[in-house]
Amino acid sequence: MANIIDGKARAKEIRIALKKRVLKQQELTGLLPCLAVVLVGDNPASASYVRGKEQMCGRVSIESRVYRLPEETTQQQLLDLVDELNADKGVDGILVQLPLPKHIDTLTIMDRIDYRKDVDGFHVVNAGKLMVGEKGFVPCTPRGIIDLIKLTGTEIAGKNAVVIGRSNIVGKPVAMLLMAENATVTVCHSKTQNLGDVVKNADIVVAAIGRPGTIKGDMIKDGAVVIDVGTTAVNGVLNGDVEFEEAAKHASYITPVPGGVGPMTIAMLLENTFEAFMEYRVK
Ligand SMILES: NC(=O)c1ccc[n+]([C@@H]2O[C@H](COP(=O)([O-])OP(=O)(O)OC[C@H]3O[C@@H](n4cnc5c(N)ncnc54)[C@H](OP(=O)(O)O)[C@@H]3O)[C@@H](O)[C@H]2O)c1
């Protein structure tokens, strides 16, 4: 049976170390990092993610400001708030919670955020920096995934990594990061043929699909490291994209859902916020 990768414990470890760095900077400069989170509308899942981010900021002594806007907020009103936060020297990171209501264009909003405050790493400048290998803000979930793979002690260089999913927030950036670690990377999506054969060849599997059970246990090569990013709520229970029980019989390491990738996403958001603070306010 596979070893379980405990994302919750790893995220806690990261937060404890980060809090020490935050408090040290407060001692030296009198300043604390600040994250502004903007929530538009009343999607219950989004509201719960925002509460989680607010709570975790508090745990590491990062200040948080939450802007809760009504569903009928116009694109222009949201752009005006982003402009205000961009200009605010007391704000280090800006996160606009996705998904946005349909009448607002997500990419227009993402690209309006000052890329130096784009702690989600979704701005086209940060996506470009990741692509060309320049330092920028790396999206939080992909950054957390790489940390978890390294936590297993797996040498990524030279391994076959298969990423299932090609979204801008998970699949594409995680593929870039794995390539930067010198893995041989294959990216699969809904039009991929013979998915099972491709996955069977993987030493590292990252499933970011959003369809429970797409990755069957018998697709997993013996000894593979399996990272399940999927979080689909079915009757109030969170489900991953991998058939956990069966996959665990073949994998050497596997993340659970929940308690795997999820907690790492917020931990990396806190890290990115601290980095923004250090790079653009303290320096
Ligand atoms: N734990 C966390 O912190 C965290 C963070 C972000 C996302 N997530 C979860 O991760 C999952 C993916 O999120 P996302 O935002 O990347 O989703 P997304 O934008 O919906 O992308 C899903 C990807 O999966 C591909 N796909 C769909 N059906 C497939 C199939 N049968 N076989 C192979 N590929 C298939 C799609 O292919 P096409 O491109 O061809 O459509 C697409 O590239 C979701 O469950 C989400 O909730 C979790």
Side-chain angles (χ1 to χ4, degrees):
M1 282 297 280
N3 296 292
I4 308 296
I5 307 172
D6 189 345
K8 207 171 158 189
R10 174 65 183 148
K12 188 172 178 192
E13 204 174 274
I14 290 170
R15 287 196 307 270
I16 290 170
L18 178 60
K19 183 172 184 176
K20 285 189 188 148
R21 287 187 282 153
V22 169
L23 294 178
K24 181 79 195 160
Q25 282 308 316
Q26 186 187 29
E27 219 177 279
L28 293 171
T29 65
L31 301 170
L32 284 174
C34 174
L35 173 68
V37 181
V38 182
L39 173 65
V40 185
D42 44 19
N43 177 329
S46 295
S48 138
Y49 293 142
V50 167
R51 277 196 302 276
K53 286 163 187 172
E54 203 177 2
Q55 190 191 23
M56 290 302 164
C57 279
R59 287 209 192 156
V60 298
S61 300
I62 289 180
E63 287 175 3
S64 61
R65 290 193 211 162
V66 179
Y67 297 80
R68 292 184 170 84
L69 309 180
E71 179 82 20
E72 57 276 13
T73 300
T74 64
Q75 178 158 307
Q76 191 53 52
Q77 284 169 325
L78 184 54
L79 287 170
D80 290 346
L81 174 59
V82 169
D83 288 344
E84 201 182 294
L85 295 172
N86 281 341
D88 190 331
K89 291 191 167 42
V91 170
D92 302 290
I94 303 171
L95 181 151
V96 177
Q97 183 67 44
L98 301 181
L100 286 168
K102 286 194 173 54
H103 63 277
I104 299 178
D105 181 56
T106 302
L107 287 181
T108 303
I109 302 298
M110 294 298 109
D111 288 345
R112 189 70 159 247
I113 295 172
D114 184 331
Y115 73 92
R116 291 163 296 192
K117 298 189 178 193
D118 170 41
V119 288
D120 245 346
F122 295 160
H123 190 286
V124 70
V125 167
N126 285 315
K129 282 173 182 279
L130 180 60
M131 173 92 182
V132 299
E134 254 184 51
K135 190 178 175 305
F137 291 113
V138 173
C140 305
T141 304
R143 191 175 165 189
I145 291 168
I146 298 296
D147 185 278
L148 289 182
I149 297 170
K150 289 186 173 171
L151 188 67
T152 67
T154 303
E155 171 74 42
I156 300 176
K159 295 283 160 52
N160 284 334
V162 172
V163 178
I164 309 102
R166 56 174 166 182
S167 71
N168 289 335
I169 62 169
V170 190
K172 281 183 205 164
V174 87
M176 286 296 152
L177 290 171
L178 286 163
M179 211 190 304
E181 296 284 344
N182 297 312
T184 302
V185 183
T186 306
V187 180
C188 301
H189 45 77
S190 66
K191 307 290 186 293
T192 298
Q193 293 183 2
N194 305 322
L195 182 67
D197 293 344
V198 182
V199 175
K200 193 79 197 173
N201 196 31
D203 305 303
I204 298 167
V205 178
V206 179
I209 308 162
R211 288 170 191 260
T214 306
I215 305 302
K216 313 286 178 212
D218 62 8
M219 293 181 180
I220 303 298
K221 175 174 156 179
D222 286 340
V225 173
V226 178
I227 308 291
D228 191 350
V229 191
T231 44
T232 308
V234 182
N235 300 326
V237 177
L238 277 192
N239 284 260
D241 293 330
V242 179
E243 273 184 359
F244 182 85
E245 299 294 337
E246 286 306 305
K249 291 180 186 162
H250 299 280
S252 57
Y253 290 91
I254 189 166
T255 56
V257 176
V261 174
M264 293 298 287
T265 298
I266 300 189
M268 293 303 163
L269 171 69
L270 303 173
E271 283 280 348
N272 279 353
T273 303
F274 183 68
E275 277 175 22
F277 167 74
M278 291 303 289
E279 184 84 15
Y280 299 111
R281 190 139 64 115
V282 172
K283 205 161 103 176

